[in-house]
Amino acid sequence: MSRLRLTLATVLLTLAATTIRAFGAPDEVCQKAFVVPYAEQCSFAYRSLKKNTSPQNLSAAFAACGRAQNVAVSCVKTSDRHFHAISLGALFQDVTQQAEIAVFAQQFAVASALLREKLQIIDVVAHDSKPGDRTVATERAAAKIELADATAGLCTQTVLAGASDQKQLAKDRKFTELATLLKRKSGEYAACAMRAPTRPTRAYLEYVGIVALEESARASQAAGIADDAETSYRACVSSAGRIAAYAKAPVTGYLNTIAALCNGRRNGTYAVDQPTPIDQPDAKGFKPLVLPKS
């Protein structure tokens, strides 16, 4: 997970004495004694994910940052301008870390909501900051990029949600219909990728589309439509090579695998099994492919 760009200290340095504005904060009693400790608990839980990314720890870290937000937001409206700065800085940190946790857990709808809240916080910081300060503009631009990335991820999840139709067609051995469905899904994944503002995210989402294209080619082979299979396999290999030029690890490795897989399907190295993902086909969510055993 990326390093936080705006620390509590930075927020404190950029704030000036101005009128305080609330942005939908709940009417809770401000608990001054808990703002900083709760923010520290959020940060501690967030850092723990570097060593432990289990679902339980992700949930615990997300909850810790949620508690910290509730306390911080209740104190943003305080008339004490110094403590307003402390609360606002803590709130920014809590929301940023919770959003990153949501993205890491691929909860893109939640992440998008948090990143919109982050933009609201940045608006408050902008209102309070010193004239000419560039930090706010930098943070706003970065938050918009993060939001666009999360939106692209949500788009991909929406396409993935239609996997039940894919499984049923494969089960019924309706391979011609399956090939058409998978080719359409590949195009939809590519459209989601185009919404990503950063090349690394775009490369991963495009890779997901190539996986669907490889599955479409297998379905065409299973249906006896050799020309369509050949076209899709060639597109798989060429697209993987194109994307590898701007992808980063581990996606570069995924692209190498899918290119080798498509070549192997074409030349008979790998058997044309039922066109479903060859690793953990029943697992929820998208899993990067691995080469089958020869």
Side-chain angles (χ1 to χ4, degrees):
M1 287 182 283
S2 62
R3 182 179 62 84
L4 296 180
R5 286 172 297 278
L6 189 60
T7 63
L8 175 60
T10 305
V11 174
L12 289 172
L13 288 173
T14 60
L15 292 179
T18 60
T19 304
I20 297 166
R21 297 191 307 174
F23 48 98
D27 293 328
E28 298 178 2
V29 176
C30 174
Q31 304 177 63
K32 292 185 178 181
F34 298 128
V35 171
V36 173
Y38 271 51
E40 290 174 346
Q41 288 178 23
C42 170
S43 295
F44 178 81
Y46 170 80
R47 289 193 298 270
S48 74
L49 296 175
K50 292 181 178 180
K51 295 182 179 180
N52 179 6
T53 57
S54 67
Q56 295 82 0
N57 200 41
L58 279 168
S59 179
F62 188 85
C65 290
R67 289 191 297 270
Q69 283 182 55
N70 291 337
V71 175
V73 78
S74 69
C75 292
V76 169
K77 294 185 291 184
T78 179
S79 58
D80 182 333
R81 66 189 188 189
H82 179 69
F83 195 68
H84 164 71
I86 292 175
S87 301
L88 189 58
L91 180 60
F92 181 93
Q93 177 176 288
D94 300 336
V95 170
T96 298
Q97 292 178 155
Q98 192 177 42
E100 290 192 15
I101 293 168
V103 169
F104 184 80
Q106 295 191 323
Q107 298 295 321
F108 295 113
V110 175
S112 296
L114 286 165
L115 289 166
R116 290 188 182 93
E117 182 180 348
K118 180 176 176 177
L119 285 168
Q120 289 181 315
I121 296 169
I122 291 172
D123 287 342
V124 178
V125 175
H127 181 271
D128 292 355
S129 63
K130 298 177 181 178
D133 184 272
R134 297 182 179 180
T135 305
V136 171
T138 300
E139 288 303 320
R140 183 180 284 113
K144 287 182 177 179
I145 290 174
E146 292 166 351
L147 178 58
D149 273 339
T151 302
L154 180 59
C155 174
T156 303
Q157 277 190 337
T158 302
V159 177
L160 184 63
S164 58
D165 295 338
Q166 174 181 336
K167 290 180 179 180
Q168 190 60 48
L169 288 172
K171 182 178 180 181
D172 295 341
R173 304 186 67 80
K174 295 181 178 180
F175 296 128
T176 301
E177 294 93 330
L178 180 58
T180 301
L181 172 65
L182 287 166
K183 189 173 293 184
R184 175 175 59 79
K185 280 185 175 291
S186 178
E188 290 173 350
Y189 285 132
C192 290
M194 293 304 295
R195 301 174 66 174
T198 59
R199 282 194 160 191
T201 301
R202 186 180 306 160
Y204 177 73
L205 299 184
E206 287 181 311
Y207 159 70
V208 175
I210 294 177
V211 172
L213 187 62
E214 185 271 338
E215 292 173 355
S216 174
R218 273 193 284 157
S220 292
Q221 274 188 307
I225 311 174
D227 288 346
D228 284 357
E230 178 72 13
T231 299
S232 294
Y233 281 136
R234 287 185 180 278
C236 163
V237 175
S238 62
S239 295
R242 172 182 58 82
I243 298 165
Y246 52 84
K248 294 184 178 180
V251 177
T252 305
Y254 301 162
L255 291 166
N256 291 336
T257 296
I258 194 66
L261 190 55
C262 285
N263 274 324
R265 299 293 190 194
R266 284 181 61 211
N267 62 27
T269 301
Y270 304 127
V272 183
D273 54 359
Q274 182 167 297
T276 55
I278 59 176
D279 60 333
Q280 302 184 47
D282 297 324
K284 293 182 179 179
F286 181 80
K287 302 292 183 181
L289 293 179
V290 294
L291 289 173
K293 294 180 180 179
S294 300

